[in-house]
């Protein structure tokens, strides 16, 4: 799952180039940057090759979850707003 954040969906270490591609707003970019920093902090504390349990038990993991939740909520809201706008434009046509 983590490779999606850093390789597939966007680069959480540098999400700005993904604005308008997989990220819709500057706020999403900002939260993705925060998520990348929070996850990197966990990696630094437990080590890159640590088992999943070490990540989940890390003191910093709560920050990863909190930021990811805010980002997910924002992305869903933005997607729903975009879908509603498309639907509204179709109804006008």
């Amino acid at each position: 799952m983590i490779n999606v954040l850093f390789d597939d969906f966007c680069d959480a270490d540098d999400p700005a180039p993904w604005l308008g591609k997989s990220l819709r707003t500057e706020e999403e970019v900002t939260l993705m940057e925060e998520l990348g920093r929070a996850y990197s902090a966990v990696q630094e504390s437990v080590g890159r090759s640590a088992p999943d349990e070490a990540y989940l038990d890390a003191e910093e993991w709560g920050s990863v979850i909190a930021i990811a939740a805010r980002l997910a909520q924002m992305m869903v809201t933005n997607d729903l707003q975009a879908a509603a706008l498309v639907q509204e434009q179709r109804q006008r046509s």
Side-chain angles (χ1 to χ4, degrees):
M1 177 61 181
I2 297 303
N3 70 308
V4 172
L5 290 177
F6 291 91
D7 301 327
D8 300 338
F9 180 75
C10 78
D11 179 356
D13 289 325
D14 183 24
W18 296 89
L19 181 61
K21 297 173 185 162
S22 55
L23 301 173
R24 290 186 184 276
T25 66
E26 289 287 343
E27 293 83 5
E28 288 181 6
V29 170
T30 299
L31 283 173
M32 186 62 76
E33 284 175 330
E34 287 181 33
L35 182 56
R37 283 193 302 272
Y39 183 76
S40 292
V42 172
Q43 271 189 324
E44 289 175 20
S45 78
V46 300
R48 292 184 177 266
S49 60
D52 292 345
E53 294 79 20
Y55 280 74
L56 298 176
D57 290 339
E59 185 176 322
E60 302 90 347
W61 191 251
S63 293
V64 172
I65 297 300
I67 296 165
R70 289 193 341 251
L71 177 58
Q73 183 178 17
M74 178 178 291
M75 292 177 88
V76 168
T77 298
N78 291 342
D79 285 350
L80 290 172
Q81 288 173 346
L85 186 61
V86 167
Q87 183 65 23
E88 184 179 307
Q89 289 172 346
R90 285 184 182 158
Q91 289 175 348
R92 289 184 188 167
S93 301

